[in-house]
């Protein structure tokens, strides 16, 4: 039986009142009466935060420097759009390439203007039928879902010879890669490619090979995919990611190629970072300036954009432009200790480049003072460390980076940022040694404490872990293990409200640090089973 849109809820996003009214009438004509119209990204995000929609119909060009593709990326990253919701992009001919070549965050379908109500309704129903068919997989792909069960659901649909088998295979491949089941993923992609050449199959095969350590083969396959599918952005993105660790010059060239296919804020930012590391300061300035200017709504901006712009200008002797970029941060972001500390750290680096040592020292002092007593994000802390290196305070810079590494020892991205700070300071080898030693030390701390707990020496395990958790507020794994050790003590020795309350504090700390940590849900469940009625409640 065909789907009926009359019981569905929709969100329509278009910045032009006449277009909103026209599409709204067309939606009503095909049965979608319950539809909220909004004008821009902010209104759309507000609606998606508060409500659940079956359908989102969005124009590609939303004015204010933002577009529908950026909105889709934003709501996916913020997890405001369930996989079961259809996202249909409306676009003119000029926006078609941007939508049809989208890589990681592609809409479920797109519609080129002009179109009839019948065409619009048909596309929506077709997309909803696919969503309904894939629902058994999607229900296991939520934050609290089980990816292994999602793979099983894929296998069930494949056994039933679903009409969407190719979509199922694509989803299954991504799931296998995300679970580290790289050999199975490689076999799946090679099987698909034996039957038909597909761009996602070619890129998936390369990703599996890279994950298995076959980087040369992966690079060869990705370069082949870029040549064979010059408009398929996932090939460029995967190749650039692979090259970033071995050949940053080549990675920069790949990102520049991708930007010719489809400009995006994320890729402009990536280009700026690579160009800055490659000392291509003019290109870095241009990339960061485009990133800053492109989005006037502010939803897609980052402190990193202004930091990169300031540094690339300073390296070219454009001191006033660099200081202007630092100052502009206060106009576009909420004033917080993190913002003030980062501005001061950036100003210090700019002043050093300009030869103004006293001004640089004063700005560094302000950055360090602002950071005291405040929990800073890793990027801000690393910015302060970089300012320390620039001012000749090498040991202080190392100490700051070591603390960041201890707090984020599971985060490869933060480690890469930390290494780049060492490299910029001419301390590449020393940085590698310090970061690797720190990671090994943190892994040993967790392993030793867990071993003590399992051996029954709970008091010593608790002492080790709580000391580390109190010192490292952003290390989710340490906080989870501290909470777990306390709960194991309660389980072994009977109810103890003080220890349960302490466990609650550490698990809450872990949730603030990383709500998506894979071990958190199990320990939270353990807490709820053990905690007496008078214990504090751990909210979802």
């Amino acid at each position: 039986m065909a789907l009926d849109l009359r019981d569905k809820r929709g969100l329509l996003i278009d910045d032009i009142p006449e277009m909103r009214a026209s599409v709204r009438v067309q939606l009503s004509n095909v049965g979608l009466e319950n539809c909220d119209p909004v004008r821009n990204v902010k209104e759309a995000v507000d609606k998606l935060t508060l409500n659940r929609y079956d359908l989102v119909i969005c124009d590609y060009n939303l004015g204010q420097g933002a577009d529908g593709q950026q909105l889709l990326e934003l709501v996916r990253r913020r997890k405001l759009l369930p996989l079961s919701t259809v996202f249909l992009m409306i676009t003119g001919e000029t926006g078609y390439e941007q939508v049809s070549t989208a890589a990681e965050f592609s809409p479920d379908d797109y519609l080129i203007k002009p179109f009839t109500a019948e065409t619009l309704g048909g596309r929506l129903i077709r997309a909803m039928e696919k969503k309904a068919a894939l629902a058994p997989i999607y229900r296991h792909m939520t934050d609290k879902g089980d990816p292994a069960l999602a793979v099983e659901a894929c296998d069930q649909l494949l056994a039933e010879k679903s009409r969407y088998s190719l979509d199922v295979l694509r989803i299954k491949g991504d799931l296998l890669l995300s679970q580290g089941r790289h050999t199975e993923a490689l076999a799946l992609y090679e099987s698909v490619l034996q039957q038909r050449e597909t761009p996602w199959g070619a890129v998936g095969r390369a990703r599996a090979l890279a994950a298995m350590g076959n980087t040369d083969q992966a690079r060869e396959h990705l370069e082949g995919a870029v040549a064979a599918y010059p408009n398929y952005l996932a090939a460029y993105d995967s190749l650039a990611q692979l090259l970033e660790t071995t050949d940053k010059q080549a990675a920069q060239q790949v990102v520049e190629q991708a930007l010719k296919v489809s400009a995006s804020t994320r890729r402009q930012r990536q280009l700026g970072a690579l160009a800055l590391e490659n000392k291509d300061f003019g290109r870095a300035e241009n990339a960061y300036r485009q990133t800053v200017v492109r989005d006037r709504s502010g939803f897609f901006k980052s402190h990193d954009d202004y930091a990169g712009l300031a540094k690339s200008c300073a390296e070219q002797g454009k001191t006033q432009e660099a200081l202007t970029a630092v100052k502009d941060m206060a106009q576009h972001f909420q004033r917080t200790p993190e913002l003030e500390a980062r501005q001061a750290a950036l100003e210090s680096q700019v002043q050093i480049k300009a030869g103004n040592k006293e001004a640089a020292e004063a700005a560094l002092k302000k950055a360090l003072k602002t950071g005291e007593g405040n929990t800073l994000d890793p990027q801000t802390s690393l910015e302060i460390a970089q300012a320390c290196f620039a001012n000749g305070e090498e040991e202080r810079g190392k100490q700051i980076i070591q603390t960041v590494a201890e707090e984020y020892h599971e985060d490869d991205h933060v480690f890469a940022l930390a290494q780049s700070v060492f490299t910029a300071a001419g301390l590449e080898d020393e940085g590698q040694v310090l970061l690797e030693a720190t990671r090994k030390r943190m892994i040993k701390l967790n392993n030793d404490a867990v071993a003590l707990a399992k051996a029954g020496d709970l008091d010593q395990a608790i002492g080790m872990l709580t000391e580390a958790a109190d010192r490292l507020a952003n290390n989710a794994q340490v906080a989870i293990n501290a909470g777990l050790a306390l709960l194991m003590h309660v389980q072994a020795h009977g109810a103890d409200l003080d220890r349960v309350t302490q466990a609650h504090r550490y698990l809450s700390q872990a949730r603030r640090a990383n709500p998506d940590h894979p071990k958190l849900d199990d320990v939270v469940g353990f807490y709820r089973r053990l905690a007496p009625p008078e214990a504090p409640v751990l909210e979802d």
Side-chain angles (χ1 to χ4, degrees):
M1 186 174 68
L3 285 169
D4 192 336
L5 297 179
R6 285 177 295 183
D7 63 342
K8 305 303 179 185
R9 185 176 187 185
L11 178 67
L12 172 62
I13 311 158
D14 197 307
D15 65 316
I16 301 174
E18 293 79 11
M19 283 301 300
R20 278 201 310 276
S22 174
V23 177
R24 182 72 186 82
V25 169
Q26 289 180 311
L27 290 170
S28 178
N29 288 342
V30 297
L32 187 64
E33 295 278 359
N34 187 8
C35 185
D36 297 332
V38 297
R39 300 171 298 174
N40 53 42
V41 170
K42 182 182 185 308
E43 291 181 4
V45 169
D46 289 344
K47 287 287 188 182
L48 288 165
T49 301
L50 296 173
N51 306 300
R52 187 183 182 95
Y53 292 95
D54 302 295
L55 301 150
V56 176
I57 303 96
C58 180
D59 193 79
Y60 175 76
N61 188 352
L62 296 177
Q64 296 184 316
D67 59 46
Q69 185 60 41
Q70 286 179 294
L71 172 63
L72 176 57
E73 180 174 341
L74 176 71
V75 296
R76 286 283 190 216
R77 288 192 185 280
R78 291 192 182 181
K79 300 179 181 178
L80 298 177
L81 194 70
L83 290 171
S84 57
T85 297
V86 168
F87 194 105
L88 176 74
M89 193 83 78
I90 295 173
T91 177
E93 292 288 349
T94 56
Y96 169 73
E97 283 289 323
Q98 316 295 324
V99 179
S100 62
T101 59
E104 186 178 359
F105 299 99
S106 56
D108 295 294
D109 205 347
Y110 52 85
L111 199 54
I112 300 175
K113 303 173 188 176
F115 51 83
T116 65
E118 183 181 7
T119 302
L120 174 60
R123 290 291 184 88
L124 290 173
I125 288 173
R126 186 176 71 181
M128 291 205 69
E129 286 175 343
K130 181 189 285 190
K131 291 288 187 182
L134 300 177
I137 305 172
Y138 291 151
R139 72 170 56 104
H140 299 297
M141 292 176 66
T142 62
D143 281 346
K144 297 194 175 182
D146 186 339
L149 293 178
V151 171
E152 290 180 14
C154 289
D155 290 336
Q156 181 63 37
L157 287 176
L158 291 170
E160 295 170 1
K161 300 190 183 305
S162 165
R163 62 185 287 202
Y164 302 107
S165 290
L166 206 57
D167 297 282
V168 174
L169 285 167
R170 185 174 184 173
I171 294 170
K172 182 180 176 182
D174 286 338
L175 286 165
L176 290 172
L177 286 174
S178 70
Q179 293 175 65
R181 297 162 64 176
H182 305 131
T183 303
E184 293 173 74
L186 180 60
L188 180 149
Y189 290 122
E190 289 184 335
S191 174
V192 168
L193 291 168
Q194 284 174 3
Q195 298 175 50
R196 67 170 72 187
E197 288 294 327
T198 66
W200 61 264
V203 171
R205 175 177 59 187
R207 290 174 60 204
L209 287 167
M212 295 166 69
N214 299 323
T215 54
D216 289 341
Q217 269 188 284
R219 178 173 181 172
E220 182 181 341
H221 283 302
L222 286 170
E223 288 173 344
V226 167
Y229 309 104
N231 288 331
Y232 190 63
L233 286 166
Y236 295 92
D237 292 343
S238 296
L239 179 56
Q241 183 180 6
L242 181 70
L243 292 171
E244 277 187 2
T245 58
T246 58
D247 188 345
K248 292 189 187 300
Q249 293 282 355
Q252 179 180 332
Q253 291 173 11
V254 170
V255 176
E256 288 175 339
Q257 283 181 272
L259 283 165
K260 292 176 182 177
V261 177
S262 175
S264 79
T265 299
R266 180 175 62 81
R267 290 188 191 89
Q268 286 288 1
R269 185 177 294 134
Q270 184 183 16
L271 174 59
L274 285 166
L276 197 58
E277 286 195 68
N278 290 332
K279 302 189 185 305
D280 186 354
F281 301 123
R283 192 70 185 89
E285 178 192 354
N286 183 55
Y288 279 121
R289 200 174 291 283
Q290 287 191 52
T291 303
V292 166
V293 169
R294 186 173 184 223
D295 171 42
R296 297 184 183 91
S297 69
F299 270 96
F300 310 98
K301 283 181 180 162
S302 162
H303 291 182
D304 296 342
D305 302 335
Y306 291 85
L309 179 57
K311 290 176 183 177
S312 55
C313 286
E315 291 287 357
Q316 298 174 82
K318 300 178 180 179
T319 303
Q320 195 52 53
E321 290 181 51
L323 292 173
T324 297
V326 174
K327 184 179 178 181
D328 283 350
M329 293 172 77
Q331 297 178 16
H332 297 283
F333 300 99
Q334 182 180 356
R335 184 163 290 281
T336 63
E338 282 180 345
L339 178 62
E340 292 182 15
R342 190 154 193 188
Q343 280 184 290
L346 284 166
E347 182 184 346
S348 178
Q349 294 172 66
V350 172
Q351 296 290 9
I352 280 289
K353 287 290 179 184
N356 303 325
K357 188 167 178 58
E358 286 188 13
E361 290 175 350
L364 175 58
K365 185 177 180 180
K366 179 181 178 181
L368 291 166
K369 185 176 181 180
T370 305
E372 291 174 3
N374 289 302
T375 301
L376 304 179
D377 62 31
Q379 289 85 353
T380 302
S381 295
L382 292 173
E383 201 73 78
I384 296 173
Q386 194 160 0
C388 287
F389 287 141
N391 282 270
E393 297 195 26
E394 190 174 301
E395 290 307 312
R396 195 163 203 170
K398 291 178 188 175
Q399 185 179 17
I400 292 170
I401 294 179
Q402 180 170 310
T403 300
V404 170
E406 288 175 343
E407 292 197 311
Y408 296 93
H409 80 277
E410 296 180 290
D411 194 322
D412 290 338
H413 176 63
V414 170
F415 264 59
L417 292 176
Q419 182 60 53
S420 69
V421 174
F422 276 117
T423 301
L427 300 168
E428 182 174 1
D429 293 341
E430 192 170 345
Q432 289 176 347
V433 171
L434 183 147
L435 291 171
E436 186 60 29
T438 302
R439 175 169 269 168
K440 287 180 178 178
R441 187 171 65 254
M442 294 308 299
I443 292 172
K444 186 176 187 300
L445 166 69
N446 279 289
N447 290 344
D448 288 352
V450 170
L452 285 168
K454 288 180 177 178
D457 195 347
L458 290 166
D459 288 331
Q460 188 173 348
I462 289 169
M464 289 172 61
L465 289 166
T466 55
E467 184 277 330
D470 289 340
R471 183 168 55 86
L472 304 170
N474 291 308
N475 191 311
Q477 184 177 13
V478 169
I480 290 168
N481 286 338
L484 177 60
L486 287 159
L487 293 173
M488 289 173 68
H489 192 285
V490 171
Q491 186 181 48
H493 300 288
D496 183 332
L497 185 58
D498 287 342
R499 290 190 187 276
V500 171
T501 302
Q502 200 177 4
H504 176 276
R505 179 164 65 86
Y506 289 122
L507 294 179
S508 297
Q509 177 176 310
R511 179 170 282 162
R512 288 191 298 273
N514 182 5
D516 299 321
H517 195 286
K519 296 182 180 178
L520 182 58
D521 284 346
D522 287 344
V523 182
V524 167
F526 187 31
Y527 174 90
R528 288 172 177 159
R529 292 192 298 273
L530 279 183
E534 63 271 23
V537 176
L538 266 175
E539 303 291 347
D540 286 325

